[in-house]
């Protein structure tokens, strides 16, 4: 099969060895071209080099002694040129594959391509978009790209654990992204664990499973929104699930209504010494700890007595008692709204 790439090779060696000259530019270019063609046709370099060496050995028996002594140096030039062409074609193929993969990922995550065509291209990269998929997105203290040590480490761990299943690991806008079939939730759970460790305590968000070619972009957007929400309101925890955060988009769907609620319920807190923020932090800690004043005081590094005083101050200013179940829901909703809207730092 490799004989076709040896055409003219013996003649080149014979001509160069006869006078001891170096190979000409045209001869070197011809060898490089054959190397490129061999790579494009899918032939590995090792077998081709072996074929060149075997052909040189056959030729050695036919050459005069003076010419045979020059054969090794000539073969070295010839094989080096052939290998250069082969490697050049391989590098080009890799760049083209990387470009095609990046274009596919951009189209997949932004939903910019025709869905039918996108599904066809997805099979090349191991995805069956007719099935449901979920997307996990990890971000850390620094941006990550394809080829980074963090990316390679997470990918190696996934391959070691799950093999080459229909899993897509990539990067986008400095974040790690994993797309996995919805019926294999353990993949994203494992990815989240690995990404959290590799990013030195980053945060991972997992979108809900969605079916069809548009399902991936939907799940991806949910994961991004979860990360954005976590940043805005300082949600704790290494892993966030979009399914657990559905109440937040509902609360902010009518921004004006939420702003009216915040100002109506929490606006009086601005009368307190030091402004509204300390008392808003008090409410946040109180509700985050399940309305356990002692635990909230510990989080805020306050005495229980100081915590009780703050809660009483909130009651007197707003007329709503945080300890009263009747008032608690309104106060907690307004507190969440304030965090979502950036109040009181940002005016409403």
């Amino acid at each position: 099969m490799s004989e076709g790439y040896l055409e003219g090779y013996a003649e080149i060696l014979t001509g160069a060895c006869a006078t001891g000259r170096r190979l000409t530019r045209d001869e070197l270019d011809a060898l490089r071209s054959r190397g490129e063609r061999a790579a494009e046709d899918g032939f590995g370099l090792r077998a081709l080099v072996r074929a060149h060496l075997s052909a040189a050995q056959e030729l050695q028996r036919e050459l005069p002694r003076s010419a045979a002594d020059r054969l090794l140096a000539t073969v070295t030039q010839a094989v080096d040129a052939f290998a250069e062409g082969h490697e050049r074609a391989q590098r080009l193929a890799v760049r083209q594959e990387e470009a095609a993969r990046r274009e596919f990922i951009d189209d997949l995550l932004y939903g910019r391509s025709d869905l039918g065509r996108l599904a066809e291209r997805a099979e090349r990269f191991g995805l069956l978009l007719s099935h449901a998929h979920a997307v996990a997105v990890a971000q850390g203290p620094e941006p990550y790209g394809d080829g980074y040590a963090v990316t390679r480490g997470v990918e190696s761990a996934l391959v070691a654990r799950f093999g080459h299943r229909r899993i897509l690991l990539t990067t986008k806008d400095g974040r790690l992204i994993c797309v996995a079939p919805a019926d294999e939730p353990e993949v994203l759970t494992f990815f989240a664990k690995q990404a959290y460790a590799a990013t030195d305590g980053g945060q991972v968000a997992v979108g809900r499973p969605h079916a069809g070619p548009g399902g991936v972009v939907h799940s991806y957007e949910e994961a991004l929104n979860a990360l954005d929400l976590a940043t805005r309101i300082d949600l704790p925890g290494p892993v966030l699930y979009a399914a657990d955060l559905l109440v937040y988009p509902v609360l902010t769907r009518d921004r004006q209504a939420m702003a009216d609620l915040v100002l109506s319920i929490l606006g009086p807190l601005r009368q307190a010494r030091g402004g509204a923020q300390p008392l808003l932090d008090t409410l946040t800690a109180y509700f985050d700890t399940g309305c356990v004043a002692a635990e909230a005081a510990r989080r805020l590094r306050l005495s229980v007595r100081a915590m009780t005083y703050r809660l009483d101050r909130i009651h007197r200013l707003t007329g709503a008692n945080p300890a009263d179940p009747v008032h608690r829901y309104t106060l907690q909703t307004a507190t969440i709204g304030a965090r979502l809207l950036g109040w009181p730092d940002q005016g409403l």
Side-chain angles (χ1 to χ4, degrees), residues 238-284:
V239 184
L240 306 169
Y241 290 90
D244 298 335
L245 305 175
L246 293 177
V247 65
Y248 293 100
V250 172
L251 291 176
T252 56
R253 191 158 295 160
D254 189 337
R255 181 183 176 88
Q256 187 56 53
M258 178 57 73
D260 290 344
L261 176 67
V262 170
L263 292 177
S264 175
I265 301 301
L266 302 180
L269 297 183
R270 289 177 295 193
Q271 302 172 24
R273 182 183 301 175
Q277 191 62 57
L279 296 182
L280 183 61
D281 292 341
T282 300
L283 285 172
T284 298

Side-chain angles (χ1 to χ4, degrees), residues 197-217:
T199 58
D200 193 24
Q203 199 166 39
V204 185
V206 182
R208 293 180 297 164
H210 296 282
V216 171
V217 66

Side-chain angles (χ1 to χ4, degrees), residues 32-70:
R32 293 188 186 101
S33 296
R34 291 187 192 120
E36 289 181 2
R37 193 171 75 251
E40 291 167 357
D41 292 342
F43 287 92
L45 183 58
R46 180 183 298 178
L48 291 165
V49 169
R50 190 160 49 242
H52 279 72
L53 295 178
S54 296
Q57 285 178 332
E58 291 292 331
L59 180 63
Q60 187 178 28
R61 302 189 184 99
E62 304 173 7
L63 291 176
R65 177 66 178 271
S66 59
D69 291 341
R70 306 184 189 108

Side-chain angles (χ1 to χ4, degrees), residues 293-314:
E295 176 62 19
R298 187 188 67 80
R299 288 194 184 186
L300 295 174
R301 298 183 179 180
L302 297 173
S303 66
V304 175
R305 180 176 181 180
M307 184 70 187
T308 301
Y309 171 80
R310 285 193 179 188
L311 292 174
D312 183 64
R313 182 68 172 150
I314 291 168

